[in-house]
Amino acid sequence: MRRISLREYVPATRAGRTFAVTSLINAVGTGLYLAGSAVFFVRSVGLTTAEVGFGLALSGIVGFLTTVPVGALAERIGARHMLVVLQLWRAGWFVALTFVHGVVGFTLVSSCLAAAEAATQPMTQAVASAATEEGDRTHTMAIIRTVRNMGFSLGALLAAPLLASHSVWAYRGIVLGTAAAFVVSALLLTRLRAVAGAAVQRRAGPLAAIKGFRDWRYLLLAGLNGVLNLHTTILSVGIPLWALHATRVPTGLLPIVVLTNTVLSVVLQVPVSRTAEGPGGAARSLRLGGAALTACCLAMALAAGPASAWLAGAVLLGACVLLTFGEMWQAVGGWDLSYAFAPEDRKSTYLSVFSLGGTGQRIIGPALVTSVVIAAGPAGWIGLATVFAAAALLVTPVTRLLRPVAAVAADGAGASGAASRTPTETEGATP
C-alpha cells in the first residue's frame, strides 16, 4: 500500500493552489452561515419554522431551474468570469438578507441566492479543471473537497461565539461575514490564470447552448449520480432522525457520528481519489460508492434492532463510516465521468446539466427520507438499499452508452483536443 504524503494535499500548479485557498475562504463563509442560519431566520428575520421551510423549498426549485441557463451563459463569458460574478452576486444578496423581514422578502432573497449557489458547483469544477495540469484534475478536486470540509468546520466554530451572544446584530454579523468571504473569494479568482493547454470553450449564445443539448445518455448519468447524492440527506436528516425515533442510540453520540464523517472526509478524500486512476477508474469509483451506500442503508435498518444502546450506537457509527466512503467514491467518480463525457467546447453547459442530479436530490431528498424511508421503518432502509444497488449496477451500461459519443466528440475536436484528454477521460467507461 502506497504511503500517504502531505505533498499529496497540495495542488501541483500555482493556479490550483490559488483556487484551493479561494475554496477555503468560500467554505469558511458558507460554514459560518450554515451554523447560524436557522437562528438568524427565526430571531432576526422573524420567521416561523414552516415559513423557513416554504422559503427554502421554493428557492431550491429556482436554483434547479436556473442552473443550466447560467452554465450556458458561462460558455459566452467564460467559466472563471461567471464564477466571479456568482460570488459577488451571492455577497450582495447576503448583505440584503441582513435587512429582510417577513416571509416574502426572505423567499425573494433566498431565491436569488439559490440561483447562484446551484450554479456555483459546476462552475467550480470547470474553473478547477482549467487551473490544473493534464491528468491532475480529479486529484485537485479531491484536495478542494478536503479544503472545503475544513473550511465548513472552521466557519461553524467561528459562528459559535456569535450565536452565544444572543444579539440580533451578532446574528447579522454571521451573514455579513459570509458576504465578506465571498467578496474575498471573487478578488482571488480575478488573479487566477488557466494553465497552458486548457480547453477553450466556444462563444455560443446561452439559448443556442441550451437548445443544442440533446444528450439523453448524459442525462441518465446525471440521474444516477443524483440518486447516489442522497448520501447528503441521509447524513444531515436520515441518521439523526432515525437515531432519535427508531433506535436506542444515546443522543450524545450523534455529534460524534457527524464528526466521524467530517474527519474521515478530510483525511481520506485525497487517497480515495486514486480509485479513479487508470482505465475504468471513474466508473469503478461510482460503482463502489453505490455499493458502500447500499451497505450503509442495510446497517441503518439493523441499528433499530439491538436492545443495547451502545451496540445500536456502534452499528450506527458503522453505517456512518460506510456512508462516508460511499460519499467519497461517489464524488470522485462523479467528477471524472461528468468531465470526461462533456464535449471540450461545451463544458459549462454539460457540467451544469450534470449538477441537476444533486440539486434535484436536495429538493426531493428530505421528503423522501423522512416521509417514505423513515416512515416505513427498517423496510424503508432496505428499499433504499435496493435503489442504491440498482444505481451502482446501471453505471456500467450507462457509461458504455456514452463511450461511443465521447469517442466521436474526441475525433471531431482534432489532434489537439485528443492530446488534452487524460487516460481516465478516454477510457473511463471501460467496465
Side-chain angles (χ1 to χ4, degrees):
M1 182 176 179
R2 198 173 80 186
R3 293 179 60 185
I4 299 174
S5 169
L6 290 178
R7 292 181 62 86
E8 293 187 56
Y9 293 83
V10 180
T13 65
R14 181 178 179 181
R17 292 189 289 272
T18 300
F19 194 68
V21 173
T22 303
S23 298
L24 175 64
I25 295 171
N26 183 79
V28 170
T30 302
L32 186 69
Y33 174 70
L34 291 176
S37 59
V39 176
F40 173 79
F41 296 153
V42 174
R43 296 185 178 177
S44 180
V45 184
L47 303 177
T48 65
T49 303
E51 288 171 337
V52 171
F54 171 80
L56 294 180
L58 187 59
S59 65
I61 295 172
V62 171
F64 182 87
L65 295 176
T66 56
T67 298
V68 176
V70 171
L73 181 60
E75 290 187 4
R76 185 75 176 177
I77 68 174
R80 182 176 65 88
H81 290 122
M82 176 55 72
L83 191 55
V84 170
V85 170
L86 290 174
Q87 298 294 69
L88 294 176
W89 174 275
R90 296 168 81 185
W93 284 108
F94 268 113
V95 172
L97 186 61
T98 62
F99 300 101
V100 164
H101 291 283
V103 66
V104 175
F106 169 73
T107 302
L108 175 63
V109 173
S110 294
S111 297
C112 291
L113 284 169
E117 289 164 2
T120 295
Q121 192 277 328
M123 291 304 102
T124 297
Q125 186 178 354
V127 175
S129 298
T132 56
E133 300 285 358
E134 295 178 12
D136 195 45
R137 181 181 61 250
T138 299
H139 178 242
T140 299
M141 286 299 294
I143 294 172
I144 289 171
R145 191 168 191 270
T146 298
V147 165
R148 286 180 61 81
N149 277 320
M150 296 171 62
F152 292 148
S153 300
L154 180 58
L157 289 175
L158 292 174
L162 294 173
L163 291 172
S165 69
H166 303 294
S167 164
V168 171
W169 272 106
Y171 303 149
R172 290 175 177 171
I174 290 174
V175 180
L176 291 174
T178 301
F182 290 144
V183 171
V184 174
S185 295
L187 291 175
L188 286 174
L189 283 169
T190 61
R191 301 171 60 86
L192 192 68
R193 295 292 179 267
V195 297
V200 177
Q201 297 191 352
R202 65 180 180 180
R203 303 296 184 180
L207 290 178
I210 295 172
K211 290 179 180 178
F213 185 89
R214 296 185 178 88
D215 196 340
W216 59 271
R217 303 169 187 83
Y218 195 84
L219 279 175
L220 283 178
L221 182 63
L224 287 179
N225 189 68
V227 170
L228 297 177
N229 243 304
L230 275 167
H231 61 71
T232 59
T233 299
I234 294 174
L235 177 65
S236 61
V237 177
I239 288 180
L241 291 182
W242 182 249
L244 290 173
H245 297 298
T247 76
R248 298 179 183 272
V249 174
T251 305
L253 186 64
L254 291 180
I256 297 176
V257 170
V258 176
L259 180 63
T260 298
N261 172 266
T262 302
V263 171
L264 288 177
S265 296
V266 168
V267 175
L268 297 178
Q269 181 66 77
V270 172
V272 166
S273 69
R274 298 174 190 157
T275 311
E277 295 176 356
R284 180 171 58 248
S285 292
L286 211 56
R287 289 195 299 269
L288 285 171
L293 293 173
T294 299
C296 165
C297 290
L298 294 176
M300 291 288 285
L302 290 174
S308 167
W310 293 107
L311 180 57
V315 175
L316 190 72
L317 189 60
C320 180
V321 172
L322 288 167
L323 180 138
T324 305
F325 275 92
E327 171 188 334
M328 292 188 290
W329 276 319
Q330 176 273 319
V332 169
W335 295 331
D336 214 63
L337 291 175
S338 64
Y339 201 90
F341 292 123
E344 288 295 334
D345 59 347
R346 301 190 63 196
K347 293 295 185 189
S348 293
T349 297
Y350 268 68
L351 292 176
S352 296
V353 169
F354 190 80
S355 73
L356 292 180
T359 305
Q361 181 281 136
R362 286 192 290 273
I363 297 172
I364 301 171
L368 174 66
V369 170
T370 56
S371 301
V372 179
V373 176
I374 293 179
W381 289 107
I382 294 173
L384 186 57
T386 304
V387 172
F388 283 137
L393 291 173
L394 286 171
V395 169
T396 297
V398 169
T399 51
R400 279 176 177 167
L401 285 172
L402 279 160
R403 191 179 179 188
V405 179
V408 171
D411 291 340
S416 61
S420 68
R421 287 183 175 269
T422 66
T424 308
E425 285 176 306
T426 56
E427 302 176 12
T430 305

